[in-house]
């Protein structure tokens, strides 16, 4: 994990003005501020680890590619962590599609890069899939994570560093 952030953490977060590492740390800090359980704080920290693992670079959406980073991340997180960590992370793209279907104001609040990737990810969730998503065991955690994800793009924000999460990551790991 530290190696992944070391290798790719300085890359810009796809189309945004913060790095992958800044984005991860801000998402984790927001989870912590809301009193989320340790598993969900770790999920917030590592939800985009797939971006660092797929190696396709930071401008893939501009090139019309959906790197399916939630899938690459799931292989990694599913190996090292319980479902309470890996599932909210795996579902964070579905949660975005879900929120777009449920809440028109949510779509308006997305950054341009996030709107571009939404199209590549299949757009708003079709009406017929919404109930099944909501009924899923980790849907509410995925939606919480998604809201932190969307806010974790602030330039120059001061947040705790990776070391602050090391104990928690080890504690919740398998
Ligand atoms: Fe993210």
């Amino acid at each position: 994990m530290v190696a992944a952030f070391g290798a790719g953490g300085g890359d810009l977060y796809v189309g945004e003005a913060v790095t992958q590492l800044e984005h991860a740390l801000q998402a984790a800090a927001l989870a912590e501020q809301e009193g989320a359980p340790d598993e969900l704080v770790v999920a917030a920290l590592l939800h985009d680890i797939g971006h660092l693992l797929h190696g396709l670079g930071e401008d893939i959406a501009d090139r019309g590619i959906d790197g399916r980073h939630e899938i690459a991340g799931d292989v990694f997180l599913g190996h090292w962590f319980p479902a309470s960590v890996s599932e909210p992370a795996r579902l964070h793209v579905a949660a975005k599609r879900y929120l777009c279907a449920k809440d028109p104001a949510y779509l308006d609040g997305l950054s341009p890069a996030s709107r571009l990737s939404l199209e590549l990810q299949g757009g708003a969730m079709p009406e017929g899939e919404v109930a099944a998503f909501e009924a899923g065991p980790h849907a509410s955690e995925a939606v919480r994570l998604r809201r932190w994800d969307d806010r974790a793009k602030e330039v120059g924000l001061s947040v705790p560093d990776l070391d602050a999460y090391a104990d928690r990551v080890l504690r919740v790991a398998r």
Side-chain angles (χ1 to χ4, degrees), residues 5-156:
F5 279 116
D11 290 353
L12 285 180
Y13 179 49
V14 191
E16 309 287 353
V18 293
T19 67
Q20 285 286 346
L21 179 58
E22 287 173 311
H23 174 64
L25 294 174
Q26 288 185 22
L30 287 164
E32 182 147 81
Q33 284 161 25
E34 277 192 22
D38 285 351
E39 288 82 357
L40 198 50
V41 174
V42 172
L45 181 71
L46 300 179
H47 76 277
D48 275 336
I49 194 94
H51 277 311
L52 303 180
L53 299 173
H54 66 41
L56 292 174
E58 64 202 39
D59 64 339
I60 54 167
D62 291 338
R63 290 186 273 135
I65 302 168
D66 175 11
R68 303 300 305 271
H69 71 285
E70 70 280 17
I71 307 298
D74 185 50
V75 172
F76 175 86
L77 295 176
H79 184 76
W80 293 105
F81 296 96
S84 52
V85 175
S86 62
E87 282 295 283
R90 183 180 68 85
L91 293 169
H92 82 278
V93 171
K96 172 182 168 183
R97 300 182 63 221
Y98 165 79
L99 285 166
C100 287
K102 289 290 276 193
D103 179 6
Y106 173 79
L107 178 60
D108 296 338
L110 287 178
S111 67
S114 197
R115 249 174 278 178
L116 174 63
S117 62
L118 173 69
E119 293 312 312
L120 298 172
Q121 289 157 347
M125 186 173 278
E127 192 71 30
E129 294 176 24
V130 164
F133 175 81
E134 278 175 347
H138 299 280
S140 63
E141 289 83 1
V143 169
R144 289 183 80 189
L145 194 162
R146 183 73 227 182
R147 300 239 186 228
W148 302 321
D149 183 15
D150 294 326
R151 289 165 56 199
K153 301 173 178 181
E154 267 190 61
V155 177

